Amino acid sequence: MATITRRRRADGKLAYRVQDRTTGFPSLSETFPTLKAARDYKRKIEAERISAQAGIRRGRQTLAETIDDFKESADWRRRKSANDTARHLAWWSARIGQLPLAKITPDLIADHLHTLEAQGRTGATVNRYRSALSRVFRYAVNTRRWTDHNPCSMIERRPEGRRRERVITPDEWRRLLAAARELAKAEPKQRLSESERRYSPRAQLPNFLRVAYGTAARKSDVAWLRWEYVDLGEKVVTFPDPKSGHGYSVPLIDDALAAIQEQAELRRDGCPFVFPSRKGNDRPPAFEKPFAAARALAGLDQPDARGEVLTIHHLRHSAAT
């Protein structure tokens, strides 16, 4: 990217030098009497070189390369469902990642989605695989200009059938929470420091479940909850960016309040999340695996009469009833 450096000329007046040393292009250096002129020139040459780079890659950029580039973007880092999307994209990359974007057609994508259906995947799951690939193509079209169209837009979404309706009973809730607490105290398979153990998903799972059950909030909203949206004095938590697009506040009562107060002991500088990760401050931990382990330990991993296996999302149904 081009840079602007302020300089003082021999006559004492200020000047602004724009330099660009983008790999693969001739070096440029121009001086301007005003900052506005320098910024205008900087934007111009950056736009020209981005367009030229897109033209060089256009038609030969593979899907795997595009996925890797997408996962380095700001859009990817902002995603709450990055773990699920990464799994879906890895599936696509393993099957058609070697193909250039120009050779990935709606028919080819449809054939692979039919393969998922033949394996017994539900309409909702197939739609998630389609959506993950569609995000990559939107990125390639709108941000990188590596292709002109998104082939996923020509594929209809599958019907997703009935909504999940399972409700966890008070007895099942007690068993699940007891199992989560037992796992939190158990010795992990891998050797971790005391600090790593405290910040592990397994150690924080009981409090995560207590907040999810006590607030009836979505799994992602609880996992990504930030301290700036928690008011322990007023005993209120605000979820500002739920899937519906409208923020909402929930009173913290009893167990949910106690759980967040316990999480305050894990609060650390630079981490905005109520549930911090031992791997860094840019995203919270993933609770799916420890939840599955707690569910099995509690004997709740079998489908109910409707064929539904207990998920974290069912805590939201249970709290709302």
Side-chain angles (χ1 to χ4, degrees), residues 8 55 62 76 88 91 99 102 111 139 147 178 186 209 222 249 272 276 284 297 301 305:
R8 191 170 295 278
T62 67
W76 173 265
H88 298 151
W91 187 88
L99 295 178
D111 287 343
Y139 172 77
T147 184
L209 295 177
V222 176
S249 296
L297 184 61
D301 53 347

Side-chain angles (χ1 to χ4, degrees), residues 58 61-63 66 92 96 99-113 129-142 146-158:
R58 200 175 187 86
Q61 189 78 0
T62 67
L63 176 61
T66 307
W92 284 112
I96 58 174
L99 295 178
L101 297 180
K103 292 190 176 182
I104 299 177
T105 64
D107 287 342
L108 178 64
I109 296 171
D111 287 343
H112 283 80
L113 294 178
Y129 278 86
R130 171 193 170 277
S131 296
L133 185 61
S134 183
R135 292 188 189 105
V136 173
F137 270 98
R138 286 201 302 269
Y139 172 77
V141 171
N142 300 327
W146 287 340
T147 184
D148 292 324
H149 70 287
N150 177 1
C152 298
S153 64
M154 302 178 67
I155 300 174
E156 292 186 0
R157 291 172 55 86
R158 269 60 172 176

Side-chain angles (χ1 to χ4, degrees), residues 64-84:
E65 291 170 338
T66 307
I67 289 174
D68 289 342
D69 195 80
F70 172 62
K71 291 169 71 174
E72 295 296 325
S73 68
D75 180 65
W76 173 265
R77 291 191 293 272
R78 288 193 297 265
R79 294 198 57 77
K80 291 183 178 181
S81 57
N83 291 331
D84 290 336

Side-chain angles (χ1 to χ4, degrees), residues 5 15 21 51 57 61 164 172 180 185 218 223 266 296 306:
T5 305
R21 295 189 175 90
S51 178
R57 292 190 173 190
Q61 189 78 0
R164 289 175 288 192
E172 289 175 330
K185 296 177 181 178
R218 294 182 178 88
L266 298 181
R306 299 177 61 88

